[in-house]
Amino acid sequence: SKASPFALLGIWYESKSDAKRAEGCYQKALSLDASHPVAGRGLQRLIELKDLVPHCKKAIEQNSPVNGWAWQALGQSKAVNEGDDSTAVICFQQALRCRDIQNPS
């Protein structure tokens, strides 16, 4: 996909301790493919959960088999930030059904 080069560049910048450029690359990748798992997980490492939620919602709308990262982050947000454990459980169950969580390779 067109998002993959940006996601990989984000990984490279992250390995060079340039979090600002890495974040920009991950965000660009997600703007091209909202459910891109490498970009989603990369951004998850760099920004706060509350700032990640809008990206997660866009990824979930894609109904992709590799958006487990988004369901997982949304579940964490529901449990920790909102105290909505029932919805968090549903999000975590959805994450477990996704291909990138079951077999991340």
Side-chain angles (χ1 to χ4, degrees):
S1 81
K2 292 180 180 181
S4 292
F6 290 102
L8 294 174
L9 189 57
I11 290 172
W12 187 80
Y13 278 127
E14 196 175 350
S15 74
K16 300 297 179 190
S17 301
D18 192 343
K20 185 174 182 175
R21 283 193 173 133
E23 181 182 335
C25 289
Y26 292 141
Q27 287 182 348
K28 177 65 176 178
L30 289 174
S31 73
L32 295 170
D33 178 1
S35 65
H36 197 280
V38 174
R41 283 194 214 101
L43 201 57
Q44 197 171 15
R45 287 189 298 270
L46 295 177
I47 67 174
E48 291 187 33
L49 191 57
K50 64 179 177 59
D51 298 326
L52 186 65
V53 169
H55 296 286
C56 295
K57 289 181 178 178
K58 286 181 187 173
I60 288 167
E61 288 173 4
Q62 298 263 316
N63 201 21
S64 168
V66 291
N67 64 5
W69 66 269
W71 283 110
Q72 182 183 22
L74 195 59
Q76 288 173 330
S77 175
K78 293 290 182 184
V80 175
N81 297 341
E82 299 174 30
D84 186 355
D85 293 337
S86 299
T87 305
V89 167
I90 293 168
C91 291
F92 290 134
Q93 288 174 335
Q94 284 294 116
L96 289 171
R97 291 184 183 106
C98 292
R99 198 170 59 218
D100 64 318
I101 299 294
Q102 292 175 357
N103 186 12
S105 55

XYZ file of all heavy atoms in Angstrom:
806
model
N 0.834 -1.195 0.000
C 0.000 0.000 0.000
C 0.872 1.250 0.000
O 2.062 1.195 0.312
C -0.939 -0.005 1.200
O -0.298 0.427 2.364
N 0.269 2.371 -0.311
C 1.015 3.630 -0.345
C 1.430 4.082 1.056
O 2.317 4.906 1.207
C 0.167 4.715 -1.002
C -0.073 4.477 -2.463
C -0.916 5.577 -3.063
C -1.147 5.312 -4.534
N -1.940 6.354 -5.172
N 0.791 3.542 2.074
C 1.101 3.940 3.450
C 2.354 3.255 3.995
O 3.016 3.798 4.882
C -0.090 3.619 4.347
N 2.695 2.115 3.464
C 3.807 1.331 4.014
C 5.148 2.062 4.034
O 5.870 1.991 5.039
C 3.938 0.003 3.274
O 2.827 -0.810 3.573
N 5.545 2.771 2.963
C 6.831 3.482 3.046
C 6.881 4.505 4.181
O 7.914 4.652 4.840
C 6.946 4.167 1.678
C 6.086 3.361 0.774
C 4.963 2.861 1.628
N 5.767 5.191 4.411
C 5.740 6.171 5.502
C 5.828 5.480 6.857
O 6.506 5.967 7.764
C 4.482 7.046 5.413
C 4.508 7.996 4.262
C 3.795 7.727 3.108
C 5.265 9.157 4.324
C 3.828 8.597 2.032
C 5.304 10.047 3.251
C 4.579 9.755 2.095
N 5.157 4.340 6.995
C 5.212 3.592 8.251
C 6.639 3.093 8.519
O 7.140 3.188 9.644
C 4.230 2.428 8.219
N 7.288 2.596 7.483
C 8.660 2.098 7.641
C 9.630 3.239 7.928
O 10.561 3.080 8.719
C 9.080 1.324 6.393
C 8.302 0.033 6.151
C 8.696 -0.591 4.815
C 8.489 -0.945 7.286
N 9.405 4.384 7.301
C 10.234 5.544 7.596
C 10.031 5.993 9.049
O 10.975 6.389 9.726
C 9.901 6.688 6.628
C 10.812 7.908 6.651
C 12.261 7.521 6.388
C 10.336 8.925 5.620
N 8.800 5.869 9.534
C 8.520 6.173 10.936
C 9.301 5.274 11.873
O 9.855 5.732 12.881
N 9.376 3.998 11.539
C 10.160 3.058 12.348
C 11.631 3.480 12.355
O 12.287 3.470 13.394
C 10.012 1.618 11.813
C 8.606 1.105 12.092
C 11.056 0.692 12.439
C 8.303 -0.228 11.442
N 12.133 3.859 11.190
C 13.531 4.279 11.103
C 13.788 5.514 11.959
O 14.742 5.556 12.727
C 13.911 4.537 9.638
C 15.372 4.807 9.482
C 16.377 3.879 9.442
C 15.993 6.079 9.370
N 17.592 4.506 9.306
C 17.384 5.865 9.259
C 15.516 7.378 9.353
C 18.291 6.897 9.132
C 16.418 8.419 9.219
C 17.785 8.174 9.109
N 12.920 6.533 11.833
C 13.085 7.739 12.651
C 12.981 7.405 14.144
O 13.720 7.953 14.962
C 12.042 8.804 12.296
C 12.404 9.627 11.089
C 11.521 9.766 10.024
C 13.623 10.294 11.002
C 11.835 10.529 8.919
C 13.951 11.061 9.898
C 13.055 11.173 8.860
O 13.374 11.938 7.770
N 12.068 6.512 14.480
C 11.924 6.123 15.882
C 13.200 5.446 16.382
O 13.633 5.686 17.518
C 10.713 5.196 16.036
C 10.245 5.027 17.442
C 8.968 4.212 17.556
O 8.320 3.919 16.541
O 8.629 3.861 18.697
N 13.825 4.637 15.537
C 15.074 3.966 15.938
C 16.219 4.964 16.104
O 17.177 4.689 16.807
C 15.461 2.892 14.916
O 15.960 3.479 13.732
N 16.109 6.114 15.452
C 17.114 7.171 15.564
C 16.745 8.197 16.633
O 17.346 9.267 16.704
C 17.304 7.883 14.211
C 17.761 6.982 13.100
C 19.122 6.409 13.403
C 19.589 5.489 12.302
N 20.778 4.751 12.660
N 15.740 7.875 17.439
C 15.272 8.734 18.544
C 14.730 10.088 18.074
O 14.831 11.073 18.790
C 16.381 8.942 19.581
O 16.788 7.701 20.105
N 14.174 10.122 16.893
C 13.537 11.333 16.377
C 12.022 11.129 16.411
O 11.386 10.836 15.398
C 14.023 11.635 14.955
C 13.627 13.018 14.473
O 12.725 13.630 15.085
O 14.219 13.481 13.481
N 11.468 11.272 17.617
C 10.055 10.975 17.828
C 9.134 11.896 17.028
O 8.085 11.459 16.541
C 9.712 11.070 19.312
N 9.519 13.155 16.862
C 8.662 14.103 16.152
C 8.493 13.704 14.680
O 7.383 13.684 14.155
C 9.233 15.516 16.265
C 8.352 16.571 15.674
C 8.881 17.958 15.935
C 7.921 18.992 15.348
N 8.314 20.346 15.676
N 9.607 13.377 14.019
C 9.518 12.960 12.609
C 8.832 11.601 12.483
O 8.071 11.370 11.548
C 10.900 12.921 11.985
C 11.415 14.286 11.652
C 12.625 14.191 10.756
N 13.010 15.521 10.323
C 14.241 15.987 10.342
N 15.226 15.222 10.773
N 14.505 17.189 9.931
N 9.107 10.702 13.419
C 8.460 9.390 13.398
C 6.952 9.547 13.517
O 6.191 8.930 12.760
C 8.995 8.519 14.531
N 6.526 10.393 14.439
C 5.092 10.632 14.610
C 4.475 11.178 13.323
O 3.398 10.755 12.908
C 4.867 11.611 15.769
C 3.423 11.904 16.043
C 3.220 12.909 17.169
O 4.107 13.040 18.040
O 2.168 13.562 17.171
N 5.156 12.107 12.672
C 4.665 12.666 11.416
C 4.529 11.611 10.335
O 3.540 11.594 9.591
N 5.499 10.710 10.253
C 5.444 9.633 9.260
C 4.293 8.676 9.547
O 3.576 8.267 8.634
C 6.768 8.880 9.228
S 8.115 9.830 8.498
N 4.134 8.322 10.803
C 3.035 7.426 11.167
C 1.683 8.074 10.867
O 0.765 7.428 10.360
C 3.107 7.042 12.645
C 4.285 6.170 13.021
C 4.961 6.366 14.218
C 4.717 5.132 12.197
C 6.031 5.569 14.584
C 5.793 4.336 12.554
C 6.449 4.549 13.747
O 7.504 3.754 14.104
N 1.555 9.358 11.167
C 0.293 10.048 10.902
C 0.021 10.128 9.403
O -1.120 9.969 8.968
C 0.291 11.429 11.550
C 0.139 11.351 13.049
C 0.072 12.715 13.720
O 0.343 13.743 13.118
N -0.292 12.706 14.988
N 1.055 10.359 8.610
C 0.888 10.386 7.153
C 0.441 9.011 6.656
O -0.456 8.906 5.813
C 2.198 10.810 6.484
C 2.158 10.794 4.981
C 1.178 11.821 4.435
C 1.241 11.841 2.906
N 0.294 12.774 2.324
N 1.056 7.962 7.165
C 0.671 6.602 6.766
C -0.791 6.336 7.115
O -1.537 5.777 6.306
C 1.577 5.574 7.438
N -1.203 6.767 8.299
C -2.591 6.550 8.702
C -3.566 7.414 7.904
O -4.723 7.044 7.735
C -2.764 6.793 10.203
C -2.131 5.739 11.098
C -2.225 6.152 12.563
C -2.775 4.378 10.893
N -3.105 8.542 7.393
C -3.979 9.356 6.547
C -4.205 8.673 5.191
O -5.233 8.866 4.558
C -3.414 10.764 6.351
O -2.302 10.752 5.483
N -3.239 7.861 4.766
C -3.370 7.124 3.509
C -4.112 5.807 3.688
O -4.819 5.360 2.794
C -1.984 6.862 2.911
C -1.213 8.108 2.492
C 0.230 7.754 2.157
C -1.893 8.780 1.310
N -3.904 5.171 4.826
C -4.569 3.900 5.153
C -4.841 3.897 6.652
O -3.953 3.605 7.447
C -3.682 2.718 4.766
C -4.289 1.366 5.109
O -5.424 1.322 5.639
O -3.627 0.345 4.858
N -6.054 4.248 7.018
C -6.407 4.455 8.431
C -6.204 3.222 9.301
O -6.076 3.339 10.517
C -7.850 4.941 8.545
N -6.178 2.037 8.705
C -6.044 0.827 9.522
C -4.652 0.195 9.425
O -4.472 -0.948 9.835
C -7.107 -0.193 9.123
O -6.890 -0.631 7.801
N -3.673 0.927 8.913
C -2.326 0.367 8.742
C -1.761 -0.049 10.109
O -1.549 0.793 10.976
C -1.405 1.393 8.083
C -0.178 0.789 7.509
N 0.910 0.458 8.285
C 0.127 0.421 6.245
C 1.836 -0.067 7.508
N 1.389 -0.104 6.269
N -1.496 -1.344 10.318
C -1.105 -1.817 11.650
C 0.261 -1.343 12.122
O 0.443 -1.046 13.305
C -1.152 -3.345 11.526
C -1.038 -3.627 10.081
C -1.627 -2.452 9.366
N 1.234 -1.227 11.221
C 2.576 -0.784 11.630
C 2.527 0.675 12.067
O 3.067 1.048 13.110
C 3.595 -0.994 10.480
C 4.942 -0.401 10.834
C 3.722 -2.480 10.160
N 1.844 1.501 11.285
C 1.717 2.922 11.630
C 0.899 3.105 12.901
O 1.228 3.927 13.756
C 1.076 3.688 10.478
N -0.160 2.327 13.036
C -1.001 2.435 14.227
C -0.258 2.084 15.499
O -0.311 2.812 16.491
N 0.481 0.980 15.453
C 1.245 0.583 16.640
C 2.377 1.558 16.928
O 2.706 1.822 18.084
C 1.797 -0.830 16.472
C 0.747 -1.884 16.689
C 1.397 -3.255 16.848
N 0.515 -4.237 16.269
C 0.662 -4.783 15.068
N 1.685 -4.470 14.314
N -0.200 -5.650 14.627
N 2.979 2.098 15.859
C 4.048 3.072 16.048
C 3.531 4.331 16.720
O 4.129 4.832 17.672
N 2.402 4.818 16.235
C 1.821 6.018 16.831
C 1.382 5.745 18.263
O 1.517 6.604 19.140
C 0.634 6.488 15.980
C 0.210 7.930 16.137
C 1.362 8.880 15.859
C -0.958 8.246 15.214
N 0.943 4.538 18.511
C 0.533 4.133 19.862
C 1.707 4.228 20.840
O 1.516 4.572 22.005
C 0.002 2.696 19.802
C -0.807 2.259 20.974
C -1.457 0.900 20.717
O -1.089 0.176 19.798
N -2.426 0.559 21.519
N 2.914 3.967 20.360
C 4.089 4.059 21.226
C 4.483 5.508 21.513
O 5.128 5.778 22.515
C 5.288 3.356 20.572
C 5.206 1.860 20.569
C 6.520 1.237 20.119
N 6.894 1.605 18.762
C 6.548 0.934 17.664
N 5.799 -0.150 17.761
N 6.952 1.342 16.467
N 4.097 6.432 20.630
C 4.617 7.792 20.711
C 3.672 8.827 21.304
O 4.133 9.843 21.815
C 5.036 8.265 19.315
C 6.194 7.500 18.676
C 6.451 8.033 17.280
C 7.448 7.601 19.519
N 2.369 8.620 21.185
C 1.445 9.656 21.656
C 0.557 9.124 22.773
O 0.441 7.916 22.964
C 0.594 10.243 20.514
C -0.374 9.213 19.941
C 1.476 10.831 19.425
C -1.334 9.792 18.904
N -0.055 10.044 23.478
C -0.945 9.656 24.576
C -2.209 8.998 24.032
O -2.644 9.294 22.921
C -1.317 10.879 25.406
C -0.160 11.444 26.193
C -0.603 12.554 27.131
O -1.743 12.488 27.636
O 0.193 13.477 27.337
N -2.772 8.148 24.846
C -3.946 7.384 24.458
C -5.101 8.278 24.018
O -5.759 8.015 23.014
C -4.371 6.481 25.620
C -5.410 5.414 25.340
C -4.955 4.490 24.221
C -5.677 4.609 26.600
N -5.324 9.373 24.733
C -6.448 10.257 24.399
C -6.262 10.885 23.013
O -7.232 11.161 22.316
C -6.635 11.334 25.456
C -5.483 12.316 25.598
C -5.775 13.367 26.652
C -4.625 14.303 26.874
N -4.196 15.041 25.705
N -5.018 11.078 22.588
C -4.755 11.637 21.266
C -4.820 10.574 20.174
O -4.955 10.898 18.993
C -3.376 12.304 21.241
C -3.279 13.472 22.214
O -4.303 14.162 22.411
O -2.199 13.684 22.789
N -4.721 9.321 20.564
C -4.763 8.215 19.605
C -6.199 7.817 19.247
O -6.438 7.277 18.167
C -4.013 7.010 20.189
C -3.829 5.802 19.289
C -2.943 6.164 18.098
C -3.203 4.658 20.077
N -7.142 8.095 20.136
C -8.526 7.644 19.953
C -9.129 8.059 18.607
O -9.752 7.232 17.939
C -9.410 8.071 21.148
C -10.881 7.856 20.865
C -8.998 7.292 22.396
N -8.964 9.308 18.137
C -9.537 9.644 16.824
C -8.977 8.781 15.688
O -9.721 8.392 14.780
C -9.166 11.117 16.624
C -8.906 11.639 17.985
C -8.385 10.486 18.787
N -7.686 8.450 15.744
C -7.087 7.572 14.739
C -7.698 6.176 14.822
O -7.930 5.537 13.800
C -5.570 7.490 14.930
C -4.863 8.782 14.728
N -4.662 9.348 13.491
C -4.311 9.641 15.616
C -4.009 10.483 13.620
N -3.783 10.690 14.903
N -7.951 5.726 16.041
C -8.545 4.403 16.248
C -9.951 4.335 15.661
O -10.315 3.360 15.005
C -8.601 4.069 17.735
S -6.985 3.892 18.498
N -10.716 5.368 15.883
C -12.092 5.382 15.365
C -12.114 5.351 13.843
O -12.942 4.659 13.246
C -12.845 6.586 15.918
C -13.146 6.436 17.398
C -13.916 7.601 17.957
C -14.214 7.360 19.438
N -14.918 8.474 20.052
N -11.193 6.065 13.202
C -11.103 6.023 11.736
C -10.709 4.629 11.256
O -11.225 4.133 10.258
C -10.097 7.051 11.232
C -10.592 8.470 11.296
C -9.545 9.421 10.762
C -9.970 10.858 10.990
N -8.910 11.808 10.630
N -9.779 3.999 11.965
C -9.334 2.657 11.590
C -10.464 1.648 11.727
O -10.637 0.776 10.875
C -8.146 2.236 12.446
N -11.240 1.775 12.776
C -12.340 0.840 13.017
C -13.419 0.972 11.950
O -14.027 -0.016 11.528
C -12.897 1.048 14.439
C -11.881 0.523 15.451
C -14.244 0.379 14.620
C -12.155 0.932 16.872
N -13.624 2.191 11.460
C -14.607 2.411 10.393
C -14.225 1.677 9.114
O -15.084 1.366 8.294
C -14.744 3.905 10.097
C -15.453 4.678 11.185
C -15.429 6.183 10.950
O -14.919 6.633 9.894
O -15.902 6.908 11.833
N -12.943 1.385 8.928
C -12.456 0.686 7.738
C -12.864 -0.794 7.726
O -12.803 -1.432 6.695
C -10.935 0.771 7.662
C -10.411 2.168 7.533
C -10.114 2.522 6.109
O -9.538 1.730 5.393
N -10.507 3.702 5.705
N -13.212 -1.337 8.891
C -13.600 -2.743 9.004
C -12.543 -3.671 8.392
O -12.843 -4.539 7.595
C -14.972 -2.972 8.362
C -15.622 -4.227 8.873
O -15.282 -4.731 9.929
N -16.566 -4.761 8.124
N -11.311 -3.455 8.787
C -10.179 -4.208 8.261
C -9.817 -5.362 9.200
O -9.967 -5.246 10.416
C -8.984 -3.259 8.133
O -7.809 -3.966 7.894
N -9.305 -6.471 8.661
C -8.880 -7.577 9.526
C -7.571 -7.297 10.264
O -7.144 -8.106 11.074
C -8.732 -8.750 8.564
C -8.447 -8.126 7.245
C -9.189 -6.815 7.242
N -6.929 -6.161 9.986
C -5.666 -5.835 10.648
C -5.768 -4.571 11.497
O -4.782 -3.880 11.717
C -4.505 -5.707 9.637
C -4.167 -7.051 9.035
C -4.796 -4.677 8.571
N -6.954 -4.271 11.993
C -7.096 -3.085 12.844
C -7.225 -3.444 14.318
O -7.782 -2.702 15.099
C -8.263 -2.201 12.384
C -9.608 -2.866 12.507
O -9.716 -3.970 13.023
N -10.640 -2.205 12.036
N -6.643 -4.564 14.715
C -6.665 -4.977 16.116
C -5.992 -3.978 17.029
O -6.414 -3.777 18.169
N -4.952 -3.325 16.528
C -4.270 -2.289 17.316
C -5.245 -1.197 17.725
O -5.187 -0.683 18.841
C -3.089 -1.700 16.538
C -3.513 -0.944 15.303
C -3.656 -1.456 14.038
C -3.883 0.429 15.227
N -4.094 -0.471 13.182
C -4.239 0.705 13.888
C -3.956 1.470 16.150
C -4.651 1.957 13.451
C -4.363 2.722 15.717
C -4.709 2.947 14.376
N -6.159 -0.847 16.808
C -7.126 0.226 17.082
C -8.151 -0.226 18.121
O -8.487 0.529 19.041
C -7.823 0.648 15.794
N -8.646 -1.449 17.976
C -9.601 -1.979 18.955
C -8.954 -2.074 20.334
O -9.575 -1.765 21.351
C -10.122 -3.345 18.522
C -11.155 -3.288 17.449
C -11.012 -3.686 16.144
C -12.502 -2.809 17.567
N -12.181 -3.468 15.469
C -13.113 -2.945 16.309
C -13.246 -2.280 18.624
C -14.438 -2.571 16.077
C -14.564 -1.910 18.389
C -15.151 -2.054 17.130
N -7.702 -2.511 20.374
C -6.998 -2.637 21.651
C -6.836 -1.274 22.330
O -7.109 -1.120 23.515
C -5.634 -3.285 21.417
C -4.836 -3.498 22.679
C -3.465 -4.077 22.376
O -2.940 -3.953 21.273
N -2.886 -4.721 23.374
N -6.395 -0.276 21.576
C -6.213 1.061 22.142
C -7.546 1.665 22.569
O -7.629 2.307 23.628
C -5.520 1.965 21.125
N -8.585 1.444 21.769
C -9.904 1.963 22.132
C -10.408 1.289 23.401
O -11.002 1.945 24.272
C -10.882 1.769 20.981
C -12.172 2.553 21.052
C -11.908 4.046 21.123
C -13.049 2.242 19.856
N -10.149 -0.008 23.547
C -10.530 -0.718 24.766
C -9.815 -0.169 25.987
O -10.412 0.011 27.049
N -8.525 0.126 25.829
C -7.767 0.721 26.936
C -8.335 2.079 27.304
O -8.463 2.409 28.480
C -6.297 0.866 26.554
C -5.556 -0.440 26.495
C -4.142 -0.269 25.956
O -3.878 0.617 25.155
N -3.253 -1.151 26.388
N -8.682 2.865 26.305
C -9.245 4.188 26.559
C -10.581 4.091 27.285
O -10.846 4.836 28.226
C -9.422 4.945 25.246
O -10.064 6.178 25.466
N -11.424 3.169 26.830
C -12.736 2.993 27.473
C -12.576 2.571 28.927
O -13.291 3.051 29.800
C -13.578 1.951 26.719
C -14.001 2.366 25.336
C -15.028 3.451 25.385
C -15.478 3.839 23.988
N -16.409 4.959 24.002
N -11.639 1.669 29.195
C -11.454 1.171 30.563
C -10.785 2.202 31.464
O -11.264 2.469 32.570
C -10.638 -0.116 30.540
N -9.696 2.777 30.995
C -8.883 3.647 31.843
C -9.442 5.063 31.925
O -9.598 5.613 33.013
C -7.420 3.675 31.336
C -6.591 4.666 32.112
C -6.810 2.285 31.415
N -9.729 5.657 30.783
C -10.135 7.059 30.755
C -11.610 7.281 31.039
O -11.987 8.292 31.623
C -9.775 7.702 29.413
C -8.288 7.722 29.166
O -7.491 7.582 30.080
N -7.897 7.879 27.922
N -12.455 6.345 30.596
C -13.896 6.540 30.729
C -14.529 5.656 31.798
O -15.673 5.875 32.177
C -14.579 6.296 29.376
C -14.107 7.255 28.291
C -14.677 6.928 26.931
O -15.805 6.388 26.866
O -14.002 7.213 25.923
N -13.829 4.636 32.247
C -14.371 3.728 33.249
C -15.506 2.865 32.722
O -16.310 2.349 33.488
N -15.556 2.685 31.404
C -16.620 1.909 30.758
C -16.104 0.504 30.472
O -15.701 0.180 29.356
C -17.054 2.615 29.475
C -18.249 1.961 28.805
O -18.695 0.900 29.280
O -18.722 2.522 27.801
N -16.118 -0.325 31.503
C -15.537 -1.662 31.383
C -16.304 -2.563 30.415
O -15.702 -3.386 29.727
C -15.450 -2.329 32.757
C -14.463 -1.627 33.667
O -13.559 -0.943 33.156
O -14.590 -1.748 34.902
N -17.618 -2.427 30.352
C -18.419 -3.267 29.446
C -18.022 -3.041 27.992
O -17.812 -3.992 27.239
C -19.907 -2.978 29.618
O -20.317 -3.251 30.927
N -17.908 -1.786 27.599
C -17.503 -1.474 26.224
C -16.052 -1.864 26.000
O -15.685 -2.319 24.912
C -17.722 0.020 25.922
O -19.083 0.348 26.193
C -17.404 0.351 24.486
N -15.204 -1.707 27.010
C -13.796 -2.086 26.895
C -13.662 -3.576 26.594
O -12.866 -3.967 25.735
C -13.043 -1.731 28.171
N -14.453 -4.397 27.245
C -14.408 -5.848 27.009
C -14.781 -6.158 25.563
O -14.122 -6.972 24.896
C -15.336 -6.592 27.995
C -15.542 -8.028 27.574
C -14.776 -6.519 29.400
N -15.790 -5.488 25.056
C -16.204 -5.696 23.664
C -15.067 -5.298 22.712
O -14.782 -6.002 21.744
C -17.498 -4.909 23.360
C -18.655 -5.510 24.157
C -17.802 -4.898 21.864
C -19.911 -4.667 24.166
N -14.426 -4.184 23.002
C -13.298 -3.736 22.172
C -12.160 -4.752 22.195
O -11.583 -5.072 21.143
C -12.795 -2.373 22.644
S -13.933 -1.013 22.350
N -11.837 -5.267 23.383
C -10.761 -6.253 23.481
C -11.126 -7.545 22.756
O -10.274 -8.187 22.133
C -10.410 -6.533 24.943
C -9.727 -5.381 25.634
C -10.125 -4.977 26.890
C -8.690 -4.695 25.025
C -9.500 -3.914 27.534
C -8.051 -3.633 25.657
C -8.461 -3.236 26.908
N -12.396 -7.933 22.802
C -12.828 -9.123 22.062
C -12.679 -8.919 20.560
O -12.244 -9.812 19.839
C -14.272 -9.474 22.417
C -14.427 -10.050 23.805
C -15.884 -10.247 24.199
O -16.781 -9.577 23.696
N -16.119 -11.170 25.122
N -13.036 -7.727 20.096
C -12.863 -7.410 18.674
C -11.381 -7.464 18.299
O -11.026 -7.949 17.235
C -13.433 -6.032 18.351
C -14.933 -5.985 18.267
C -15.454 -6.805 17.105
O -16.158 -7.784 17.306
N -15.127 -6.433 15.903
N -10.531 -6.944 19.173
C -9.085 -6.949 18.907
C -8.574 -8.373 18.750
O -7.761 -8.659 17.864
C -8.339 -6.230 20.028
N -9.044 -9.259 19.590
C -8.587 -10.650 19.533
C -9.027 -11.362 18.255
O -8.406 -12.333 17.837
C -9.083 -11.422 20.755
C -8.399 -11.042 22.059
C -9.112 -11.695 23.235
C -6.938 -11.428 22.035
N -10.070 -10.873 17.626
C -10.551 -11.472 16.375
C -9.754 -11.003 15.162
O -9.887 -11.554 14.078
C -12.023 -11.135 16.162
C -12.938 -11.807 17.151
C -14.396 -11.511 16.829
N -15.250 -12.105 17.843
C -15.891 -11.427 18.789
N -15.809 -10.110 18.838
N -16.633 -12.050 19.678
N -8.947 -9.977 15.341
C -8.208 -9.396 14.220
C -6.927 -10.165 13.925
O -6.288 -10.707 14.823
C -7.879 -7.937 14.507
S -9.342 -6.900 14.538
N -6.572 -10.179 12.673
C -5.412 -10.930 12.216
C -4.092 -10.395 12.780
O -3.169 -11.150 13.052
C -5.386 -10.920 10.695
C -4.525 -11.972 10.107
C -4.706 -12.107 8.617
N -4.403 -10.850 7.934
C -5.087 -10.408 6.881
N -6.083 -11.100 6.400
N -4.744 -9.279 6.313
N -3.969 -9.082 12.960
C -2.705 -8.547 13.439
C -2.465 -8.819 14.926
O -1.342 -8.739 15.392
C -2.592 -7.045 13.152
C -3.613 -6.203 13.883
O -4.782 -6.616 13.957
O -3.255 -5.119 14.372
N -3.497 -9.151 15.675
C -3.342 -9.505 17.087
C -3.094 -11.015 17.216
O -2.230 -11.451 17.949
C -4.585 -9.092 17.908
C -4.801 -7.593 17.855
C -4.487 -9.597 19.335
C -3.721 -6.751 18.520
N -3.848 -11.809 16.474
C -3.701 -13.259 16.550
C -2.329 -13.713 16.059
O -1.703 -14.575 16.636
C -4.774 -13.946 15.696
C -6.164 -13.798 16.218
C -7.186 -14.394 15.251
O -6.854 -14.847 14.196
N -8.439 -14.346 15.672
N -1.879 -13.133 14.950
C -0.615 -13.534 14.339
C 0.071 -12.289 13.793
O -0.045 -11.984 12.607
C -0.884 -14.546 13.225
C 0.383 -15.103 12.655
O 1.458 -14.916 13.207
N 0.280 -15.793 11.535
N 0.787 -11.538 14.634
C 1.319 -10.246 14.215
C 2.419 -10.278 13.160
O 2.807 -9.263 12.646
C 1.847 -9.631 15.520
C 1.944 -10.736 16.481
C 1.048 -11.839 16.013
N 2.901 -11.444 12.787
C 4.000 -11.493 11.795
C 3.540 -11.290 10.377
O 2.512 -11.232 9.938
C 4.723 -12.820 11.883
O 3.852 -13.899 11.731
